[in-house]
Amino acid sequence: MGGQYKITGDRYPRMRPARRRGRLALVAVACVTVLGVLGWGTLQLIDVFTGGDKASALGAASDCRTTAAKASASPAAVKLPKPAQVTVNVLNATTRSGLAQKTADELKKRGFRIGEVSNAPKEYDKKVQGAGLLLGPATALKSSLPVLGAQLAGAERRTDAARKGAEVDLIIGNGFKGLTKPADADAALAALAAPQPTPAAEKKGC
């Protein structure tokens, strides 16, 4: 080559464009930007999930307080009539004679008032297969019938909406073997008067 530029030696100078450095700088800036966006997004997700956990915890705490408030507002005991306030008609639906009188005498010893003592009416005669049937007005379902039921475990309970008065019937069935032992009957009455909360009613995590 002529002119003012002379090439000496056995290597030619490499003329690299200045664009490559510019591209590298742009790539570096883009990487930093992407990393920053990803970091910000991760922090936002963490805040979202953490906020949800806090809300759940606050909701659970509120439920616990509500449950505790309801428990404290519940009555401590159920008011039931005493045996002396319950009049029982003892009716024999079996073929065993004298069973109604014997059962009535035992109930009287336990404090109950005794009304009619006789054979069961035709609609129940020889048709009660269990230990017995307790029958009374609708108002007796949560008062007199549970008290009488404690004296004969396993007896069926029924109410008659059309029935008047407060007397209840104990209709002795074919499966009758005797009244519940006095100690067991007293324990059943005590449980009715002061029921204990069941574990299922308690909320876990409170």
Side-chain angles (χ1 to χ4, degrees):
M1 296 179 62
Q4 59 180 340
Y5 298 100
K6 294 182 179 181
I7 298 175
T8 60
D10 55 358
R11 294 184 180 180
Y12 293 95
R14 297 181 180 179
M15 305 297 290
R16 294 182 180 177
R19 268 190 236 169
R20 190 162 183 181
R21 291 183 179 179
R23 287 179 182 176
L24 290 175
L26 288 175
V27 170
V29 171
C31 289
V32 171
T33 303
V34 170
L35 290 175
V37 171
L38 290 176
W40 180 82
T42 302
L43 290 175
Q44 293 298 315
L45 289 175
I46 291 174
D47 288 341
V48 169
F49 285 111
T50 303
D53 292 342
K54 290 180 180 177
S56 300
L58 290 174
S62 178
D63 291 342
C64 290
R65 287 193 294 269
T66 302
T67 303
K70 288 182 178 179
S72 61
S74 300
V78 177
K79 188 176 181 180
L80 294 172
K82 295 180 180 180
Q85 298 173 309
V86 180
T87 300
V88 184
N89 300 318
V90 184
L91 311 175
N92 187 5
T94 74
T95 57
R96 292 176 281 174
S97 61
L99 198 55
Q101 188 61 58
K102 182 179 179 180
T103 304
D105 291 342
E106 180 61 29
L107 285 174
K108 187 175 182 179
K109 290 179 182 178
R110 300 185 184 191
F112 288 87
R113 297 175 62 183
I114 304 301
E116 180 184 358
V117 180
S118 66
N119 293 325
K122 186 177 180 179
E123 58 182 312
Y124 296 109
D125 189 29
K126 301 179 184 66
K127 297 177 182 178
V128 180
Q129 301 303 321
L133 172 63
L134 308 183
L135 183 63
T139 55
L141 182 60
K142 295 183 179 180
S143 57
S144 300
L145 288 183
V147 174
L148 182 58
Q151 310 301 320
L152 184 58
E156 182 184 355
R157 303 176 191 178
R158 293 183 191 175
T159 59
D160 184 357
R163 182 165 174 167
K164 304 299 181 180
E167 294 184 356
V168 293
D169 299 340
L170 191 163
I171 305 175
I172 301 173
N174 294 325
F176 180 83
K177 296 181 180 179
L179 295 175
T180 302
K181 294 180 180 180
D184 294 336
D186 291 342
L189 284 175
L192 286 171
Q196 299 296 322
T198 58
E202 297 177 1
K203 195 175 184 63
K204 294 182 178 179
C206 293

